[in-house]
């Protein structure tokens, strides 16, 4: 249980987590008791820990609602340009603590809950993660929502309210087993159903061309029910909205059309419609062309566009003026960002609405559409690019296929004029791929239908421009941009690492939370003995805390003095967890060869989920757990080396492991990781990076100086050269004795004595079809790891390098990223205007806003 703060501590306390204040505490206790009383009167006599969590959540939510209403009123009255972030994934994690921090209530809540005899950390642990994402793409969307609210943008996140999020991972006998993530079973205190905004979504049917225009008829209808979640900015009283759609069958579903007396079956069949929002597809960087997934993609897009157009047409809040009817101003009032190609059907859907419902001519509709949309590309892996079979689209969305064909025809006509007789170019640039099964290339649709296309790190944007979409970039070079990803410092520093956040605030003040570039001021303290000791102390405290967590949850005892060497991310061949595993085996063999030799103790922590259908990723997990079993039970090794597979890695677990990490593994093959954001989280939290020149690692090395990261291995050009020469894994195996020994052990069944052939597929892949060239970087990786161990022995020099990294991490705030999107793509200006809090009367609030705006204009 938290210790009460002394008066001196309260006075000294950094206010980045909010002022305690007697009135604040009393008010929070009152609200908590009221909500708890309501629950108990309603249900039972004795409160459970979950009752306490819900009472606290509802108390904090009370502080959100007034700000939420006032923000939305402000948007209606000022009618700013709206930003719509469309994503099939929002990996939000937990909401309670983030809300307390952004509202400045964290310290007051801590104190109030302590005075009530409860432990706030225990209550926070009860909350389920909202796991509505697979990994980086979904978590980026969540960070962006936080930044957009903090920067005062009138922004909305639109997605699907999956009933079941990313599966819960259990490790049984070393294998991954998936369990359904029933995250809503206890209810969700942070969402509000909005049935008044329910909308019809059409599927299937046929297209009629009539004298009055085109009609899409005989469709099946599914209803989209919105659930709104508030998204508070940091200490600015702005609360934006994330709106997630849930599928509902209409009351006459299967009864009107198929009324053959089987009423019971017709009601049961309602599930077919409602399955659309049942479950998140668990694939990361892999396209699986399933009909249900295509339905999900159209469902979110169709509902969202209806909602956007309704809001566009509506006049100012509270007035009775007529609605907007002219769509010319649509792109001036609306910006839609497509988070990868998953919401790409928004392009033909907006065209359908403008052409068939609003009756605009093609040229005008297309101009509006392209000026409205922008597209973010997240991957260059060919297996991840969405290519939907034409037959499936024709069956599900016949009108959209016609529109896509017309878009393609006009696109190809344009290319023919610019490059006459270049048939091969037409084939490469077509939206329709003709080889084999006819398919629609959704990335091509996004590029043609958007006014801006961006990659998510400099190196990735260069590959997008010069390689993957080279033809398109030659045609419209001004369309292609870079927007390096970022992370929100609220969750990824204040929330998860309060010790470090407060230490930084003591040195450079509190403003860095909203302007992370101020971290450069820490460079002054690189040689400050006291600061070095304090940074090391915070890291050690985080490691002890995480070690205690591992002991409690996983029953494993680890040495907090050992180096915590961490690789947590989705399990995928390109991320090369296998190379990490080979290094673990190499360290094990070195210890066995010479047990008396000085060895820097390491705890190697690997975590992440494998897509359920990805055989090789599941074998990699089994190999890691098998190696761990041998290493952890070998008495010769003892405490020198431990291997932990972190089960069920998710946002709330990332918040625990990242602050405790010494070494961050970012070891993908150069040219495969678009950006990475975990790399940024580790850097901000005082871990050093061992990595390749891939994704955002390149810019991290640029910011901190390459000498302050452990960079190794092939660059993009080296990989290309090796591809030209031909990669021969056998040559590395024959040349490198430590690699040969490790592979021979895996092959012979040393790590799987009961099943010597268990890892045959893994070994076969490494020799015969390893696209990601693990052996080619192995020697450089091991050598680099030796340098890591060498530096770790010198605690002071290690910590100085840590401080340099933290001081250089300011660029990687999602606030910076969003400012760039706002100015370069959405054509809006972020605002540091603070909306008055809800208790301020309306007329006073208006005056405060007017004065604030006048001051800013004057400045």
């Amino acid at each position: 249980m938290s210790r009460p703060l002394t008066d001196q501590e309260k006075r000294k306390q950094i206010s980045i987590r909010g002022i305690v204040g007697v009135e604040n505490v009393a008010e929070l206790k009152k609200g908590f008791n009221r909500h708890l009383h309501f629950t108990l009167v309603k249900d039972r006599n004795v409160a459970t820990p979950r009752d306490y969590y819900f009472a606290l959540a509802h108390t904090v939510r009370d502080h959100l609602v007034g700000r939420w209403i006032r923000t939305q009123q402000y948007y209606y009255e000022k009618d700013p340009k709206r930003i719509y972030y469309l994503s099939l994934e929002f990996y939000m994690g937990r909401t309670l603590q983030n809300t307390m921090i952004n509202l400045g209530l964290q310290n007051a809540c801590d104190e109030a809950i302590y005075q009530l005899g409860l432990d706030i950390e225990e209550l926070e642990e009860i909350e389920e993660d909202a796991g509505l994402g697979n990994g980086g793409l979904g978590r980026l969307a969540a960070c962006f929502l936080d930044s957009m609210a903090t920067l005062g943008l009138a922004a909305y996140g639109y997605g699907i309210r999956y009933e079941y999020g990313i599966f819960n991972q259990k490790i049984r006998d070393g294998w991954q087993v998936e369990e359904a993530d029933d995250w809503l079973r206890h209810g969700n205190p942070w969402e509000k159903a909005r049935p008044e905004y329910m909308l019809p979504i059409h599927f299937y049917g046929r297209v009629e061309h009539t004298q009055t225009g085109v009609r899409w008829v005989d469709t099946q209808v599914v209803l989209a029910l919105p659930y709104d979640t508030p998204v508070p900015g940091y200490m600015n009283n702005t609360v934006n909205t994330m709106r997630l759609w849930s599928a509902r069958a209409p009351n006459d579903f299967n009864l009107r059309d198929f009324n053959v007396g089987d009423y019971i079956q017709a009601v049961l069949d309602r599930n077919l419609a409602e399955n659309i929002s049942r479950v998140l597809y668990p694939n990361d960087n892999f396209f699986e062309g399933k009909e249900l997934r295509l339905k999900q993609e159209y469902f979110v897009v169709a509902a969202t566009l209806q909602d956007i157009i309704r809001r566009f047409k509506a006049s100012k809040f509270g007035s009775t003026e007529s609605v907007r009817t002219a769509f010319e101003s649509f792109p001036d009032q609306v910006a839609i960002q497509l988070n990868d190609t998953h919401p790409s059907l928004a392009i033909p859907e907006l065209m359908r609405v403008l052409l068939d419902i609003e009756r605009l001519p093609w040229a005008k509709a297309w101009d509006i559409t392209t000026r409205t949309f922008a597209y973010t590309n997240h991957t260059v892996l060919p297996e991840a690019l969405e290519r939907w079979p034409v037959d499936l689209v024709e069956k599900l969305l016949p009108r959209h296929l016609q529109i896509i064909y017309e878009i393609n025809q006009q696109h190809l006509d344009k290319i023919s004029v610019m490059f006459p007789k270049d048939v091969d170019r037409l084939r490469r640039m077509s939206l329709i791929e003709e080889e084999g099964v006819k398919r629609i290339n959704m990335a091509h649709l996004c590029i043609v239908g958007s006014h801006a296309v961006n990659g998510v790190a400099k190196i990735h944007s260069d590959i997008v421009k010069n390689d993957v979409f080279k033809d398109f970039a030659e045609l419209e070079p001004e369309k292609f941009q870079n927007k390096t990803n970022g992370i929100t410092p609220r969750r990824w520093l204040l929330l998860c690492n309060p010790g470090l956040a407060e230490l930084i605030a003591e040195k450079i003040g509190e403003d860095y939370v909203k302007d992370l570039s101020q971290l450069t001021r820490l460079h002054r303290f690189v040689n400050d003995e006291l600061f070095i000791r304090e940074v090391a102390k915070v890291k050690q405290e985080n490691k002890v805390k995480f070690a205690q967590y591992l002991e409690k949850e996983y029953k494993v005892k680890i040495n907090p003095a050992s180096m915590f060497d961490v690789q947590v991310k989705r399990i995928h061949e390109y991320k090369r967890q296998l190379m990490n595993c080979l290094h673990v085996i190499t360290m094990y063999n070195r210890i066995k060869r010479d047990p008396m030799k000085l060895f820097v103790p390491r705890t190697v922590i690997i975590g992440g989920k494998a897509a359920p259908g990805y055989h090789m990723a599941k074998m990699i997990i089994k190999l890691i757990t098998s190696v761990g079993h041998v290493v952890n039970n070998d008495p010769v090794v003892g405490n020198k080396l431990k291997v932990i597979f972190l089960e069920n890695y998710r946002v709330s677990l990332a918040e625990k492991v990242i602050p405790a990490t010494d070494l961050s593994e970012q070891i993908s093959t150069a040219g495969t990781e678009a950006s990475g954001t975990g790399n940024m989280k580790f850097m901000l939290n005082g871990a050093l990076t061992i990595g390749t020149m891939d994704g955002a690692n390149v810019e991290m090395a640029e910011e901190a100086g390459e000498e302050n990261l452990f960079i190794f291995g092939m660059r993009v050009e080296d990989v290309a050269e090796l591809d030209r020469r031909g990669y021969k894994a056998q040559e590395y195996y024959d040349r490198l004795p430590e690699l040969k020994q490790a592979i021979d052990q895996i092959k012979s069944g040393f790590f799987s004595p009961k099943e010597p052939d268990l890892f045959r597929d893994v070994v076969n892949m490494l020799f015969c079809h390893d696209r990601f060239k693990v052996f080619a970087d192995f020697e450089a990786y091991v050598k680099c790891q030796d340098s890591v161990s060498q530096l770790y022995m010198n605690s002071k020099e290690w910590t100085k390098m840590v401080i340099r990294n933290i001081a250089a991490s300011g660029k990687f705030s999602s606030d910076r990223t969003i400012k760039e999107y706002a100015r370069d793509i959405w054509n809006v200006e972020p605002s540091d205007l603070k909306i008055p809090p809800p208790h301020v009367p309306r007329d006073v609030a208006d005056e405060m806003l007017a004065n604030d705006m006048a001051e800013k204009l004057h400045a």
Side-chain angles (χ1 to χ4, degrees), residues 369-386:
T369 297
T370 53
R371 285 168 54 217
T372 299
F373 286 109
Y375 158 56
T376 302
N377 173 275
H378 280 275
T379 182
V380 296
L381 296 182
E383 65 269 32
L385 296 175
E386 291 197 298

Side-chain angles (χ1 to χ4, degrees), residues 298-330:
Y298 179 65
F299 174 77
V300 66
V301 148
T304 299
L305 278 168
Q306 286 184 69
D307 216 35
I308 289 171
I309 290 166
R310 172 192 59 75
R311 196 176 287 116
F312 168 75
K313 285 182 171 182
S315 53
K316 282 189 179 179
F317 182 78
S319 81
T320 53
E321 292 165 36
S322 60
V323 297
R324 278 196 190 99
T325 50
F327 274 82
E328 285 83 357
S329 65
F330 192 75

Side-chain angles (χ1 to χ4, degrees), residues 433-448:
E433 298 176 358
E434 304 280 354
E435 309 88 61
V437 175
K438 268 174 87 167
R439 293 174 179 274
I440 305 167
N441 185 312
M442 304 312 270
H444 290 185
L445 173 62
C446 284
I447 293 167
V448 171

Side-chain angles (χ1 to χ4, degrees), residues 191 207 216 381 493 537 649 699 756 811 859:
E191 67 180 9
V207 180
W216 180 19
L381 296 182
L493 184 58
K537 181 168 172 271
Y649 181 64
E699 288 158 79
K811 173 180 179 176

Side-chain angles (χ1 to χ4, degrees), residues 188-207:
N188 174 8
W190 304 106
E191 67 180 9
K192 173 84 177 77
R194 304 300 298 273
E196 67 274 28
Y197 292 116
M198 190 144 58
L199 296 165
I201 311 298
H202 298 262
F203 294 100
Y204 305 108
R206 58 191 176 80
V207 180

